[in-house]
Amino acid sequence: MIGPRGMACAGGLLARVGSRSAISRVVRQNSPLRPLPATVTAPAVRCWRAQYSTKPEPPKEVTINSKTYPVDPEWFNVSSTILNLTSRKLHLQKDHPVSITRQIIESVFPSPTYLAYNNLDPVVSTHENFDSLGFPPNHPGRAKTDTYYINGTTLLRTHTSAHEAELFKASKSPGYLISADVYRRDEIDKSHYPVFHQMEGARVWDRNTVPNGDVVSAVYKDLEALPKHDMIIEDPNPPFHPDRNPLQPSHSAEEAEAVGKHLKRSLELMVAEIFKRVKESHARAGIQHGSEPLKVRWVEAYFPFTSPSWELEVWYQDGWLEILGCGVSQQHILRDAGVASQIGWAFGLGLERIAMLLFQIPDIRLFWSRDERFLGQFRGVEGDWGKMRPFVGFSRHPACYKDVSFWLPGHGGGGAGAAGGRGGEGEWHENDLMEVVRDVCGDVVEDVVMMDSFTHPKTGRRSVCYRVNYRSLERTLTNEEANGLHERVKGEMVGRLGVEIR
Ligand code: DAH
């Protein structure tokens, strides 16, 4: 199934693509959709208009990792908050949990079969990020509301798959791994941050170089050489399915089946390694997991760049946890990369999601903390995974909720059902609100949740109410501070988004 961004739909850190819609969140919270009070505080609105500027002027060009790119004001939507994060490279910081997680995964895919690429530039073309992978021109993931653009053809990569074509083309090794920072405009909560890290892997076989041109035998030989594991695997799926998970026309059934088996075993071994480390680390802190073997299941999936495709889920703390997406690479990607004789598989996963498990990190904002109380807990772990222990949280600081109710810009009532939807309501998109909150407040907002949505029966205008939860991970915020931030958020919403505060 395709989520709103058209990749994995179950959401979460793997793909973060199935952003929960605002409406589903309202339902989840059992918050009845009740009309908001009808008082419109016009004087206050005037005051915000006067006090706060409109959209900041975009620069003529931006420099990211010492390369300069021309900005197109029609497209440019990268705030300085985000630009500043492009240099952090958490996946390469010594002893950082994201980097440790990367290294654990790399240990399962050793060189020289798999070459690791950890320093690829975050700025890519729309061709690399979308077209080369078979994303249709109208794919929702391309929207300015979801993706950070520098100009019409240049963006901050939304996933590590953006580098598949170039690495298949380079063809330096039978397999590769990529780790990198990726960027998505998204909601604010404990598991979503506009910058996160992904890991991508791929493995190919070449019909021109395998013995007797027999890819199937070559793949099975490599499969035999892989270690075994003792996990329980649920895999009721056929190797491919004509409607749900088709075989590609240029692949034989035997080839696709063999590649799929190698893919599945390789990724099961990775999950086995990760969860072995989770278990050991938790045991050091006295958290016991029981002695049953780990249970995983394969679920059919859809990605534009693989077929057949699957997701791998792990049974963890009484539920299925989505870990990764993968599949047999679309042959056109290899053909366009000039290596048509190759066939192979690819996978992608979110590193933070796995690091959160490994280290019991409760809030994704913590990864960006420079606080010694956070970073100090992982010191020395990089050279010795035997020292890995769950993170011990700082004392929790009090939350401070503030609500903001406003009329959406435009005529309203036009068609978009949820506030998270597109079109119908002028320029409004929920992610723009998230961006304003991040720009004004940085990391002191824990989440932003839609509480109410109401369409005026006569005018058709829609009013929504969001709750902003101010809670710093590092210190106690005073009510005055939170009030000050909230007033600035409201002002920027009026100036930048054209909403009318109620
Ligand atoms: N790029 C996908 C995402 O961000 C993850 C992914 C899925 C990568 C399947 C792959 C793959 O290489 O085969 O959601």
Side-chain angles (χ1 to χ4, degrees), residues 16-159:
R16 297 161 38 102
V17 283
S19 296
R20 286 163 283 141
S21 77
I23 284 294
S24 76
R25 260 176 288 150
V26 170
V27 171
R28 200 166 47 106
Q29 291 177 15
N30 282 331
S31 152
L33 289 174
R34 61 186 159 76
L36 298 167
T39 34
V40 180
T41 48
V45 171
R46 267 201 301 278
C47 160
W48 280 314
R49 286 232 161 89
Q51 196 174 343
Y52 294 101
S53 61
T54 48
K55 267 189 179 133
E57 273 297 301
K60 294 264 173 298
E61 51 188 31
V62 288
T63 301
I64 296 172
N65 288 340
S66 44
K67 278 193 210 145
T68 300
Y69 304 87
V71 161
D72 179 346
E74 281 296 304
W75 284 88
F76 187 70
N77 60 356
V78 194
S79 65
S80 51
T81 320
I82 299 298
L83 280 176
N84 287 338
L85 296 178
T86 56
S87 60
R88 291 286 298 274
K89 301 187 183 180
L90 300 183
H91 61 295
L92 299 177
Q93 299 310 314
K94 186 159 168 33
D95 288 329
H96 193 283
V98 171
S99 169
I100 297 165
T101 307
R102 162 183 67 81
Q103 289 173 324
I104 291 174
I105 296 173
E106 281 174 355
S107 75
V108 188
F109 298 100
S111 99
T113 304
Y114 296 89
L115 275 189
Y117 296 82
N118 297 326
N119 242 322
L120 298 167
D121 227 304
V123 181
V124 299
S125 65
T126 44
H127 181 81
E128 290 168 306
N129 201 80
F130 297 121
D131 308 302
S132 72
L133 295 163
F135 281 76
N138 60 352
H139 191 279
R142 296 179 186 251
K144 273 199 280 186
T145 49
D146 289 29
T147 294
Y148 292 106
Y149 282 90
I150 293 167
N151 56 52
T153 53
T154 316
L155 48 81
L156 294 177
R157 71 184 148 221
T158 65
H159 57 170

Side-chain angles (χ1 to χ4, degrees), residues 95-97 99-109 273-274 276-278 280-282 284 358-359 378-390:
D95 288 329
H96 193 283
S99 169
I100 297 165
T101 307
R102 162 183 67 81
Q103 289 173 324
I104 291 174
I105 296 173
E106 281 174 355
S107 75
V108 188
F109 298 100
E273 173 67 23
I274 292 169
K276 184 182 100 185
R277 303 276 166 204
V278 170
E280 287 173 0
S281 151
H282 291 191
R284 266 175 229 120
L358 274 170
F359 297 98
F378 313 103
R379 203 135 295 137
V381 174
E382 189 159 316
D384 180 1
W385 295 340
K387 286 197 187 132
M388 216 152 81
R389 287 176 149 271

